Amino acid sequence: MDRLQIAFFGATNSGKSTLVNALAGQEVSLVSELPGTTTDPVRKAIELPGLGPCVLVDTAGYGDPGALGAERERRSRATIDATDIAVLLRSGHPEDDRWLQLLRTAQIPVVEVPGRSLIPDHSLIPDLIRDLHEPLTAPNSLIPDLIRDLQAARPDDKPRLLTGGLVGKDDVVVLVMPQDSEAPKGRLILPQVQVLRELLDLGCIPVCCQPEGLQRALDGLSAPPALTITDSQAFAKVNAILPADAPLTSFSILLAGAKGDIRTFVESAKAIDTLKPGDRVLIAEACTHVPDTEDIGRVKIPNLLRKKVEMAGQAGHDAVVTPGLTPAVTPGLTGSLLVDIAAGNDFPDDLTPYRLIIQCGGCVASERLLRSRIKKALLAGVPITNYGIALAALTGILNRVVIPG
């Protein structure tokens, strides 16, 4: 289940941190009379009455004339794409109206509250939570109504099945889950956990194995599985073993169907066949992690892309990377493509240099964040696909895999 992202915006020193601390009931953010105390967005996971699991995001603010003012504002704006509900603290700053328009243009529900002089004490927090639930009829709702407003502003959270209606009760579903060096020690990755839980809730019969155990798992079944779901990087191995008429998909493709725009991803994958030396590709990750030699986004996908271009008989060129972005460099491999990595919230403002964007599966990203990136790419005229769809295309089995929805 995605946590609701509630971000607090306002001019520097307008009381955002005080309000976040009051809601959390603890000192989440440093509070000071000095303007610009908060320099980076501060996040706190919390449960709010009537809203369930949420993340409170205390942004750096705007309107700081100091040397770091522009950078604080840039980092505050970077949080907009992942925001489900915005709380705007009005302190009479001339930039308040501009930020209200920015948030509304992004189609984010906005709850407006007075700034620092009227920040509530802890006794008013129950009323504040109630405000988050009610219609946003008053442009300057009082603090006691804030929680009620947030509850009403909550986006429609009707559950969307990851498996997209592909399976039902009593269906046998095989889950192929490689446990390589990228797999977290002692646990499964989030998409595997989410899909496995959903299959159990649906009354399916999941059979779990690694790629090396797939044939034995299939031999133990009295009939082919209703669906096989694999980690995208194991497509080639699984496809070679699985009967040609057995439905196959991946965890990343299921996530794309539930959170993103699967049709756009599939259509955009056609751009892979048009790539040529010197083209620039962006690998966009929603999380941050320290990669290793088996990293799917920074090593495996760039290698496959370069190999495809090189096999087409086109000369290779050394990789060049845009300043501020992380290069995808593989020792010993000369790349015919220019590959950049954007991790976490560092999604470029200017997408026009890219011939293709490949977004990660988005297991820790919200639907709003993924759809915002898709919209930005389409407005820039740049094809955007995701790891699962791209790997299916690069493996030559995109027409074979099952697409949800």
Side-chain angles (χ1 to χ4, degrees):
M1 179 180 183
D2 290 336
R3 286 182 175 268
L4 197 67
Q5 304 278 320
I6 303 175
F8 292 73
F9 298 91
T12 54
N13 217 35
S14 62
K16 299 181 297 299
S17 298
T18 301
L19 181 54
V20 169
N21 289 346
L23 271 173
Q26 58 186 275
E27 189 174 353
V28 175
S29 298
L30 177 65
V31 175
S32 168
E33 295 297 327
L34 296 174
T37 300
T38 303
T39 57
D40 294 291
V42 177
R43 292 171 170 82
K44 173 62 180 176
I46 191 174
E47 293 271 342
L48 290 179
L51 292 166
C54 303
V55 175
L56 305 181
V57 184
D58 182 13
T59 67
Y62 51 80
D64 178 7
L68 294 177
E71 181 61 19
R72 287 194 180 99
E73 176 164 335
R74 185 189 71 81
R75 296 189 181 197
S76 295
R77 290 186 65 147
T79 66
I80 291 178
D81 289 345
T83 298
D84 294 303
I85 304 176
V87 177
L88 179 64
L89 279 75
R90 279 192 170 275
S91 58
H93 194 280
E95 291 288 289
D96 288 346
D97 287 337
R98 181 173 71 88
W99 272 80
L100 176 61
Q101 188 57 46
L102 279 174
L103 295 166
R104 287 179 172 171
T105 299
Q107 299 182 320
I108 298 172
V110 180
V111 176
E112 299 178 62
V113 299
R116 175 173 290 278
S117 62
L118 294 177
I119 292 299
D121 59 26
H122 287 73
S123 66
L124 294 178
I125 292 304
D127 292 329
L128 179 61
I129 293 176
R130 192 171 58 248
D131 275 359
L132 297 176
H133 287 265
E134 287 204 345
L136 307 178
T137 54
N140 288 293
S141 60
L142 296 176
I143 292 300
D145 299 323
L146 176 57
I147 298 297
R148 198 164 50 243
D149 285 346
L150 284 174
Q151 292 171 341
R154 178 173 189 152
D156 180 16
D157 60 349
K158 293 180 181 178
R160 300 180 64 181
L161 291 176
L162 286 169
T163 51
L166 297 176
V167 292
K169 192 176 186 309
D170 295 330
D171 282 342
V172 175
V173 181
V174 173
L175 304 179
V176 183
M177 302 181 290
Q179 301 303 301
D180 57 19
S181 63
E182 281 291 286
K185 185 177 181 179
R187 62 183 174 87
L188 300 175
I189 61 174
L190 185 58
Q192 295 168 356
V193 174
Q194 291 175 325
V195 170
L196 180 57
R197 174 56 192 266
E198 182 175 296
L199 293 174
L200 293 173
D201 289 342
L202 291 173
C204 298
I205 304 170
V207 176
C208 303
C209 65
Q210 294 198 52
E212 296 76 14
L214 176 58
Q215 187 61 64
R216 293 194 300 277
L218 295 175
D219 291 343
L221 300 177
S222 59
L227 180 66
T228 296
I229 306 170
T230 181
D231 191 295
S232 300
Q233 60 185 306
F235 263 142
K237 291 181 181 178
V238 173
N239 183 60
I241 298 172
L242 201 65
D245 58 348
L248 171 65
T249 192
S250 76
F251 295 101
S252 181
I253 289 176
L254 294 181
L255 283 172
K259 291 184 175 184
D261 183 344
I262 192 73
R263 300 302 166 189
T264 294
F265 286 162
V266 171
E267 182 65 24
S268 294
K270 297 177 182 177
I272 292 175
D273 292 330
T274 70
L275 294 175
K276 59 185 184 300
D279 285 343
R280 188 176 294 276
V281 175
L282 176 67
I283 304 292
E285 299 176 340
C287 66
T288 54
H289 66 281
V290 178
D292 72 2
T293 56
E294 294 185 290
D295 191 82
I296 185 172
R298 304 185 185 220
V299 178
K300 293 183 178 179
I301 290 179
N303 284 358
L304 287 170
L305 289 170
R306 291 176 176 132
K307 182 178 179 180
K308 183 175 181 63
V309 171
E310 290 164 0
M311 287 181 65
Q314 298 164 328
H317 298 274
D318 289 332
V320 179
V321 179
T322 300
L325 296 176
T326 305
V329 177
T330 304
L333 179 66
T334 300
S336 58
L337 293 177
L338 316 181
V339 182
D340 295 338
I341 305 294
N345 290 325
D346 293 336
F347 195 70
D349 291 327
D350 183 10
L351 299 176
T352 55
Y354 298 104
R355 287 291 309 277
L356 177 66
I357 300 169
I358 304 180
Q359 172 67 48
C360 72
C363 57
V364 299
S366 66
E367 179 179 347
R368 175 176 285 277
L369 176 64
L370 293 183
R371 290 188 175 274
S372 173
R373 289 185 173 184
I374 293 169
K375 181 178 179 180
K376 287 181 177 180
L378 294 179
L379 288 174
V382 182
I384 180 169
T385 188
N386 90 326
Y387 282 11
I389 299 297
L391 284 166
L394 288 164
T395 311
I397 63 169
L398 185 54
N399 292 333
R400 185 240 206 278
V401 299
V402 177
I403 304 297

